[in-house]
């Protein structure tokens, strides 16, 4: 791989990593805030239920039925995923492993807490696609000396 191909590949990796970093940060804070404020959100929902459109009620009620531990644990796993992305940004192999483990644990935790209702095929496919992409990129960058 010459310098131009290396640079192009690095830019591709970094573009996808930016998207994963944004996702990791937003999910980290979102799930943690949901877990911390679950009682307040539940109370507000029950008081203002008439403001919610019908199509939002089922998913909101399912989300509010989940235990607080699910939200906090999922938030921490997204934080772990975010750290893995930062490590991959620096072309560290450990980052890929950390990211992959976090993503797999997010799926497992979701299946354990939510059960069959978690059957979000799109999310599972995107996770698999990103893991495979990062695996390919890892092999490209670790197969040779970096310039």
């Amino acid at each position: 791989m010459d310098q131009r191909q290396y640079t192009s590949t690095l830019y591709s990796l970094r573009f996808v990593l930016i998207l994963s970093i944004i996702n990791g940060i937003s999910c980290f804070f979102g799930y943690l805030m949901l877990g911390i404020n679950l009682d307040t959100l539940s109370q507000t929902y029950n008081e203002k239920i008439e403001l919610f459109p019908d199509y939002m009620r089922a998913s909101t009620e399912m989300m509010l039925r989940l235990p607080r531990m699910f939200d906090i644990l999922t938030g921490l796993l997204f934080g772990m995923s975010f750290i893995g992305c930062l490590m991959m940004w620096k072309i560290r192999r450990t980052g890929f492993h950390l990211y992959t483990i976090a993503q797999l644990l997010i799926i497992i935790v979701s299946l354990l807490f939510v059960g069959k209702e978690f059957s979000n095929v799109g999310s599972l496919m995107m996770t698999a696609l990103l893991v495979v992409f990062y695996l390919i990129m890892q092999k490209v960058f670790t197969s040779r000396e970096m310039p």
Side-chain angles (χ1 to χ4, degrees), residues 13-137:
L13 172 66
R14 294 234 164 122
F15 176 74
V16 176
L17 277 172
I18 287 170
L19 298 176
S20 294
I21 287 170
I22 291 169
N23 180 57
I25 290 172
S26 63
C27 289
F28 170 72
F29 286 114
Y31 277 104
L32 283 182
M33 289 298 108
L34 180 61
I36 292 169
N37 298 310
L38 192 60
D39 295 333
T40 305
L41 291 171
S42 183
Q43 179 182 0
T44 303
Y45 174 76
N46 290 330
E47 291 172 0
K48 307 286 184 183
I49 193 169
E50 69 278 354
L51 298 176
F52 283 79
D54 290 338
Y55 67 89
M56 288 181 64
R57 288 184 185 167
S59 60
T60 303
E61 289 170 0
M62 184 191 79
M63 177 187 70
L64 293 173
R65 279 194 312 264
L66 292 172
R68 182 184 314 264
M69 180 55 79
F70 168 76
D71 298 315
I72 293 172
L73 187 57
T74 304
L76 292 175
L77 289 171
F78 271 108
M80 185 174 147
S81 176
F82 166 69
I83 292 169
C85 288
L86 291 179
M87 293 173 77
M88 283 192 287
W89 185 275
K90 297 178 181 179
I91 316 296
R92 291 190 182 162
R93 179 178 288 194
T94 310
F96 168 74
H97 298 298
L98 192 63
Y99 175 84
T100 303
I101 290 169
Q103 292 299 310
L104 291 174
L105 287 174
I106 289 168
I107 292 169
I108 291 168
V109 165
S110 296
L111 287 171
L112 289 175
F113 280 93
V114 182
K116 293 179 183 178
E117 296 175 27
F118 176 67
S119 60
N120 186 347
V121 177
S123 177
L124 293 173
M125 288 176 60
M126 190 58 148
T127 298
L129 183 68
L130 285 173
V131 168
V132 169
F133 175 77
Y134 292 139
L135 177 64
I136 292 168
M137 289 293 112

